Amino acid sequence: MATHPTLQFHNTYFLLHHSTPPSSPKFQPLALFPVKTHYRTPSLNLQSGSSSNGRRRRNSTLAVAVSAAAGNVAWWDAWKPDDKSPSVPLSDIFWPSAGAFAAMAILGKVDQMIAPKGVTITIAPFGAVCAVLFTAPSSPAARKYNMFMAQIGCAAIGVLAFSFLGPGWLARSSALAASIAFMIYTRSTHPPAASLPLLFIDGVKLHSLNYWYALFPGAAGCLILCFIQEIVSYLKEKVKF
């Protein structure tokens, strides 16, 4: 029996729009309204990658800023007094100061005794030696080995530098470099001794001592200072206030 053309058209339209589409990907049903399909395109991946890189850059910039701020705080803290250290007793202030006063007074009296010979035992490095002995007697710089090894060795280096190079910048710089190398090599770091070569090269009155300068006034003066420091340490332990 023949089908009416109108019924055939409606049956075809119903099958196209209401039946399950075949599994073949090539066949697509007729769509009356366009449907938007969202795909993840490579451009979106690039944008997400760039955004993640941007976040990493911002995080790294923030980390650098935080570390720089911490470094600035640490740098500024070095210019402020140490608030964590306990208060210093009065005896810890009095006895080192009294020891330094006694040391300079005794050296000054010795100067008066040897003044007719044209020499002096009171030299500027002894101020630094007193600071080390009386304020930090347990420090490595205050050890007797460090003190006398550095005083004798650096003084002798100053005499050698002046003998071979004469006065001037070359002798001073060479003597100072050699003195530091000597203290490091012999493990006798004693900072006040580094000034002895410069003192001899620039001190005309000391040139007459020649190689005796290795023992006087540096080592000889340190003997007096060590004796005074022992007395001050004894008094500091016995008398506290």
Side-chain angles (χ1 to χ4, degrees), residues 228-239:
I228 298 173
Q229 189 268 332
E230 293 295 333
I231 297 176
V232 170
S233 296
Y234 176 79
L235 293 175
K236 186 178 177 181
E237 291 293 330
K238 295 298 182 179
V239 183

Side-chain angles (χ1 to χ4, degrees), residues 151-226:
Q151 289 278 342
I152 295 172
C154 293
I157 289 173
V159 178
L160 288 173
F162 179 79
S163 301
F164 287 100
L165 301 175
W169 66 269
L170 183 59
R172 288 193 294 269
S173 57
S174 301
L176 180 59
S179 298
I180 293 175
F182 173 80
M183 287 189 288
I184 295 174
Y185 179 77
T186 58
R187 299 178 182 177
S188 59
T189 302
H190 181 68
S195 59
L196 291 178
L198 308 180
L199 183 66
F200 181 83
I201 293 172
D202 295 333
V204 180
K205 294 181 179 180
L206 298 174
H207 293 170
S208 59
L209 293 174
N210 206 356
Y211 285 99
W212 284 105
Y213 180 72
L215 300 176
F216 183 90
C222 284
L223 282 174
I224 299 175
L225 297 180
C226 287

Side-chain angles (χ1 to χ4, degrees), residues 92 95-100 103-104 107 125-148 151 190-192 218-234 236:
D92 289 348
W95 287 117
S97 302
M104 287 298 104
L107 290 178
F126 285 159
V129 175
C130 287
V132 171
L133 280 178
F134 296 120
T135 62
S138 59
S139 63
R143 294 183 64 225
K144 304 303 184 292
Y145 167 79
N146 291 27
M147 182 183 302
F148 288 99
Q151 289 278 342
H190 181 68
C222 284
L223 282 174
I224 299 175
L225 297 180
C226 287
F227 177 73
I228 298 173
Q229 189 268 332
E230 293 295 333
I231 297 176
V232 170
S233 296
Y234 176 79
K236 186 178 177 181

Side-chain angles (χ1 to χ4, degrees), residues 64-77:
V64 171
V66 170
S67 61
N72 291 334
V73 171
W75 179 86
W76 178 246
D77 287 341

Side-chain angles (χ1 to χ4, degrees), residues 67-134:
S67 61
N72 291 334
V73 171
W75 179 86
W76 178 246
D77 287 341
W79 292 84
K80 297 188 295 184
D82 187 9
D83 298 333
K84 298 180 181 179
S85 59
S87 59
V88 182
L90 182 59
S91 59
D92 289 348
I93 301 175
F94 174 78
W95 287 117
S97 302
F101 177 84
M104 287 298 104
I106 293 174
L107 290 178
K109 189 61 178 179
V110 174
D111 273 343
Q112 293 179 354
M113 297 169 59
I114 62 176
K117 298 182 179 181
V119 293
T120 180
I121 196 173
T122 304
I123 54 177
F126 285 159
V129 175
C130 287
V132 171
L133 280 178
F134 296 120

